[in-house]
């Protein structure tokens, strides 16, 4: 695996401003920053990129509402926030996040009626945000600002009790992604029986601990 | 897959779906063959278009088209008409794909790629954007594309600001437009562009956002914009020194390891084994560049040239609100020394937003060095016995709370007027959750700007009542309001020397050391630490604290009681790693080990956040336990504790206790028991 990594030329995809392009066609998005940092951290070769510049670029995508977008100036979106906060967490740079400002924006994603979380204001709640918003809140220690029990209920309401699986919202079609996000969300909400996962990697904690604590 | 109703499909639907899939798969495999074989004939290109019309998310098809275009362009001579027709075709394909799915990442990026080749007019693009933004004003792809076009064509920020005017007036519920507006305005205000002076512009913006808020109070957009305006009103760009220890005009008494009898009743006594005392600077915002050249120290205390200043912050950060250095003294050389500090002696102290600390600021204190009398007995610290009420009359109260703040040069007038006007506006909304929250925030902002001590502190009761009401009105954000309530409460306690003195006691067990007791107050959050830099003994027991975030500034703290709180892990105590004086720590009866989810996992410097760490013997001999109790390991090994209480936590037990003894070999008391040597 490590051998093949050298062929991938990761640092060739890092741009001057610290951002990462998805491929040779140059599309830039903070999602790519997260993917690179997450993967390289697990493979214990973060030194293949310029971490400081990568962090600087992510910080340049920070918005006035405390959130993050896909590129500088882009509107805050829960998915991008997860990517940026996750990348900052993994590289030990959460001090760049205004935790109170972002925490408030994130906890306002919760819908009063259904208990579900949306990804931006005035949008519908969706189970996938149970991971993006929830993980972000956990990483900045503000998850106590949402009503957890209501969110658990929302996720459980999204189950297809006949055929199994979890959908994006109640009574919609299930798919593997939302099933994963729903289960991960339940784990982060300490639902009994769910294995503990790490909020930055969405991997089981015993796996991340084993990888990262081995010198 | 989003937004598809759940329904059982009948055999006909399944058959139709299967047929569609067969067709699509056949199209895809034909396309992939063309792509792999680098076939760019008209027919092949047409095939890719067919694929994209069905599935605009076929990312590889967009990349194929880019290769095909480059291939075509390389064949023709640079005949502009031919070039235009090739690129026009790409734009047409993008438009038709966007009609299928106007949120297709691949389609929008392809258009950007075409435009980067210098093709298409700004009018065409803005027209297209208009179309899509009318379909969905929150389409962030369209907004991102708009910003891209604006940058490419150098459209002015003022023109773009007018566009947000149009969008907002068309529909107040347009977070994307408000967001764009805040980005443009920030830039124009920072440039001090014509017609964009904060004192004129910000009040205008308040008027604009009121229309949104009062038209549709349930819509979040206006409220978030209002929060940003409040930040613009409150936050002074130039960094200021908020407080220091020692404070201006104070006298501190310094001695060696053994403290003087009786004199510790002065909260200004500091005993040190190392023969040095901390000099703490607390700024109103994170700054960098504090060093022995930007901060000069003029004193006869010997051995204090070229001091090293440290930011009290996370490992990777070069900026902080709190900076510390240590000044040496020799206790065998008793004397009174005047110490003059000049902050900003030379330029270099810069806020993280890029603003310079302006005028040099001087303050003076006296260091009275005493002879060490004898080694005092270090008995166990008890948090329940041995406390006497501190006699407020015996000390000069004013020196307790210092309000050093360079306000002269700051234009506060328009800010105070704006806040007063907003308070009046929101004072009438009684049953709106967000209205009440905004009022509470405004009142807090007003308190923060007051400099007249007599008036300060008066409105805190109103703020606390608002948060109590909110906890009842909006239970889903209960903990948020609770945290804000704690912050307001601590602001109130520290708003005057008089209110603070009610929480001060003397602890006989440590030669009458002054103890700040903030126990049993339902505190869920720590605040106002800049006013509490003098604290050496702190009782925060029987509260609802989840972490010690904020305590890192308390550089003098040697005894801390956190028992009976809601601390879930040692990672939540990470900030204590900066408190090098800490000797006595009580975290008994908390929730350590009770929860599977660690919410401070990434707020604690460790290998998990890719911090470098040096292996020590404990790590080498017990790798399993180090991984199991990683946060206790990293936090405790940085401290030089003499006394620790950990009983009453889920994590407590023989295995953990013996691990702790390995990590903290110099511990004298564990859970009330004296340890043998």
């Amino acid at each position: 695996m490590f051998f093949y990594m050298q062929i991938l030329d990761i640092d060739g995809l890092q741009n001057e401003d610290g951002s990462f392009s998805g491929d040779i066609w140059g599309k830039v998005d903070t999602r790519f920053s997260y993917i690179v940092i997450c993967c390289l951290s697990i493979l214990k070769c973060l030194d293949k990129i310029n971490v400081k510049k990568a962090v600087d670029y992510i910080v340049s995508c920070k918005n006035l509402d405390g959130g993050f977008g896909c590129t500088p100036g882009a509107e805050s979106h829960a998915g991008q926030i997860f990517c940026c906060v996750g990348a900052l967490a993994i590289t030990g740079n959460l001090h760049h996040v205004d935790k109170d400002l972002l925490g408030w924006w994130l906890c306002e994603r919760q819908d009063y009626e259904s208990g579900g979380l949306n990804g931006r204001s005035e949008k519908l709640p969706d189970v996938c945000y149970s991971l993006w918003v929830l993980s972000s809140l956990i990483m900045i220690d503000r998850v106590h600002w949402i009503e957890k029990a209501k969110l658990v209920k929302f996720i459980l309401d999204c189950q297809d009790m006949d055929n199994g699986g979890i959908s994006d919202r109640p009574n919609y079609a299930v798919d593997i992604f939302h099933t994963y996000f729903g289960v991960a969300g339940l784990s982060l909400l300490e639902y009994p029986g769910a294995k503990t996962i790490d909020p930055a990697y969405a991997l089981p904690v015993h796996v991340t601990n084993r990888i990262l604590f081995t010198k | 897959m989003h937004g598809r109703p759940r329904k059982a499909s009948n055999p006909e639907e399944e058959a139709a779906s299967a047929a569609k899939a067969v067709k699509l798969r056949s199209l895809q495999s034909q396309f992939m063959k063309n792509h792999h074989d680098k076939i760019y004939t008209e027919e092949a290109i047409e095939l890719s278009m067919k694929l994209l019309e069905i599935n605009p998310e076929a990312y590889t098809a967009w990349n194929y088209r880019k290769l095909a275009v480059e291939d075509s362009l390389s064949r023709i001579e640079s005949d502009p008409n031919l070039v235009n027709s090739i690129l026009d075709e790409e734009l047409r394909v993008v438009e038709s794909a966007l009609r299928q799915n106007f949120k297709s990442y691949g389609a929008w990026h392809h258009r950007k790629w075409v435009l980067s080749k210098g093709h298409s007019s700004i009018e065409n693009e803005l027209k297209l954007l208009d179309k899509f933004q009318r379909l969905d004003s929150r389409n962030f792809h369209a907004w991102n594309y708009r910003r891209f076009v604006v940058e490419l064509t150098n459209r002015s920020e003022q023109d773009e600001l007018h566009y947000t005017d149009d969008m907002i007036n068309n529909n107040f519920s347009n977070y994307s437009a408000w967001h764009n507006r805040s980005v443009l305005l920030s830039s124009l205000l920072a440039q001090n562009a014509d017609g964009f002076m904060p004192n004129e512009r910000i009040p205008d913006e308040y008027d604009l956002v009121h229309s949104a808020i009062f038209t549709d109070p349930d819509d979040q957009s206006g409220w978030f914009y209002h929060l940003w305006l409040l930040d613009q009103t409150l936050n002074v760009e130039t960094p200021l020194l908020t407080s220091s220890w020692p404070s201006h005009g104070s006298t501190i008494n310094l001695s060696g390891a053994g403290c003087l009898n009786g004199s510790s009743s002065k909260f200004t006594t500091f005993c040190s084994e190392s023969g040095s005392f901390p000099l703490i600077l607390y700024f109103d915002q994170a700054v960098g560049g504090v060093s022995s050249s930007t901060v000069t120290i003029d004193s006869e205390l010997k051995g204090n040239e070229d001091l090293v200043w440290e930011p009290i912050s996370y490992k990777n950060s070069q900026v902080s609100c709190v900076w510390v250095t240590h000044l040496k003294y020799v206790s065998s050389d008793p004397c009174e020394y005047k110490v003059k500090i000049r902050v900003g002696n030379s330029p270099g102290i810069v806020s993280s937003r890029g603003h310079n600390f302006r005028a040099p600021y001087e303050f003076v204190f006296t260091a009275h060095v005493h002879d060490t009398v004898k080694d005092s007995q270090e008995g166990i610290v008890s948090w329940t016995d041995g406390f006497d009420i501190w006699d407020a009359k015996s000390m000069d109260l004013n020196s307790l709370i210092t309000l050093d703040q360079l306000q002269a040069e700051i234009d506060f007038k328009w800010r105070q007027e704006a806040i007063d006007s907003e308070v009046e506006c929101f004072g009438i909304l009684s049953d709106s959750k967000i209205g009440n929250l905004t009022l509470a925030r405004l009142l807090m902002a007003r308190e923060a700007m007051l400099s007249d001590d007599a008036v300060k502190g008066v409105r805190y009761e109103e703020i606390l009542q608002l948060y109590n009401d909110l906890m009842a009105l909006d239970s889903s954000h209960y903990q948020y309001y609770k945290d804000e309530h704690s912050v307001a409460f601590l602001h109130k306690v520290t708003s005057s020397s008089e209110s603070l003195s009610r929480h001060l006691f003397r602890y006989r067990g440590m030669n009458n050391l002054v103890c700040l007791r903030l126990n049993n107050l339902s505190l869920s959050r720590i605040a106002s630490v800049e006013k509490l830099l003098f604290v050496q003994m702190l009782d925060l027991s029987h509260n609802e604290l989840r972490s010690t975030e904020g305590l890192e500034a308390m550089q003098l703290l040697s005894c801390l009681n956190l028992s009976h709180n809601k601390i879930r892990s040692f990672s939540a105590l990470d900030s204590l790693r900066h408190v090098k004086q800490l000797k006595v720590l009580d975290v008994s009866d908390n929730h350590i080990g009770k929860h599977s989810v660690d919410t401070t996992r990434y707020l604690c410097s460790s290998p998990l956040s890719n911090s470098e760490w040096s292996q020590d013997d404990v790590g080498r001999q017990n790798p399993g336990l180090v991984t199991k109790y990683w946060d206790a390991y990293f936090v405790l090994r940085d401290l030089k504790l003499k006394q620790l209480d950990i009983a009453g936590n889920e994590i407590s037990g023989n295995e953990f206790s013996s691990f702790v003894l390995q990590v903290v070999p110099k511990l004298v008391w564990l859970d009330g028991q004296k340890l043998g040597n």
Side-chain angles (χ1 to χ4, degrees), chain A residues 19-36:
Chain A
S19 66
F20 288 89
S21 295
D23 58 20
I24 53 163
W25 298 107
K27 174 159 163 53
V28 166
D29 190 314
T30 46
R31 288 176 299 164
F32 304 143
S33 304
Y34 170 73
I35 292 167
V36 170

Side-chain angles (χ1 to χ4, degrees), chain A residues 65 73 75 121 126 168 173 198, chain B residues 2-4 138 175-176 179 602:
Chain A
D65 53 18
E75 188 184 336
S121 75
D126 183 330
D168 52 337
D198 181 302
Chain B
H2 284 108
R4 295 220 192 127
R138 298 294 303 284
Y175 194 101
S176 311
H179 160 77
Y602 285 100

